[in-house]
Amino acid sequence: MSKTILMLATFGLEIVEVGGTLALHAQAGDAVHAAVLLSRPESRPQVKQAAELLGVKSTQFLGFGYGEFELNAESKMKLVRVFREIRPNTLITQDPEHSYHDLDPDRRIAMLLYLESIALAGRDWRFEECGGFAPHTVGDIYYMSPETPNCVVEIGTTFGLKQKALDFL
């Protein structure tokens, strides 16, 4: 049975960081999508090329500004819409622990935004404002490079593809 995978990236490079896993899912017939919170317009073509090479079916750039977004309803609605529209079985995103240790202030706010938006996506919250899509609960969440992993994905067969994708960035 095929799955729908969503890579929720704070920065476009994160798509390549988990590129081996994304490519494995794409090769297995899963529908792999990506959404990027922060990406300058001039870097979007390269991020999109890297994602396409890995087998990512669609890449959305959410248009948040560096150091300018907040943990508010407007920000949450953008993400809730993505979750409800794509309807992922599995979400891959940054590790909450890592986001708090990182010196980039956007990562801390982003992680809170992700977690609250995931919860709201499954509720009857702002239905029309989030595109009219039915509520959706994400089944599994995998965190990138956690300090204490409980799952490791073997990417030996797709590592070369991941390396090629890195060349675009």
Side-chain angles (χ1 to χ4, degrees):
M1 178 194 322
S2 67
K3 297 179 186 179
T4 300
I5 311 296
L6 174 62
M7 171 56 200
L8 181 57
T10 303
F11 303 102
L13 180 61
E14 292 172 6
I15 293 171
V16 176
E17 287 179 41
V18 297
T21 299
L22 298 179
L24 281 173
H25 279 283
Q27 290 174 4
D30 294 335
V32 179
H33 302 271
V36 183
L37 194 74
L38 300 166
S39 181
R40 290 184 175 87
E42 61 271 15
S43 68
R44 292 176 185 173
Q46 294 89 342
V47 171
K48 194 166 177 73
Q49 285 178 309
E52 287 173 355
L53 179 67
L54 295 166
V56 175
K57 187 175 180 176
S58 70
T59 303
Q60 294 184 43
F61 298 97
L62 301 178
F64 285 83
Y66 292 90
E68 298 174 358
F69 64 94
E70 298 178 22
L71 189 61
N72 59 22
E74 181 183 343
S75 295
K76 291 174 191 175
M77 283 189 289
K78 285 183 180 182
L79 288 169
V80 168
R81 180 185 176 115
V82 169
F83 299 141
R84 289 179 179 170
E85 184 176 9
I86 293 175
R87 307 188 74 72
N89 305 95
T90 302
L91 176 72
I92 302 171
T93 194
Q94 62 183 316
D95 176 41
E97 270 186 66
H98 173 76
S99 70
Y100 289 105
H101 300 302
D102 194 309
L103 294 177
D104 185 326
D106 285 328
R107 285 193 189 275
R108 290 188 291 277
I109 298 288
M111 194 68 241
L112 289 171
L113 178 62
Y114 298 163
L115 295 174
E116 290 187 18
S117 299
I118 291 165
L120 289 170
R123 297 178 184 163
D124 190 14
W125 182 78
R126 298 196 179 208
F127 181 72
E128 292 301 322
E129 294 158 289
C130 295
F133 299 101
H136 175 72
T137 301
V138 176
D140 296 309
I141 302 173
Y142 291 96
Y143 296 122
M144 303 168 34
S145 307
E147 290 188 32
T148 55
N150 64 359
C151 173
V152 176
V153 178
E154 168 54 53
I155 62 164
T157 60
T158 57
F159 186 75
L161 202 54
K162 174 181 172 170
Q163 290 298 103
K164 275 186 169 177
L166 189 58
D167 290 341
F168 286 110
L169 306 176

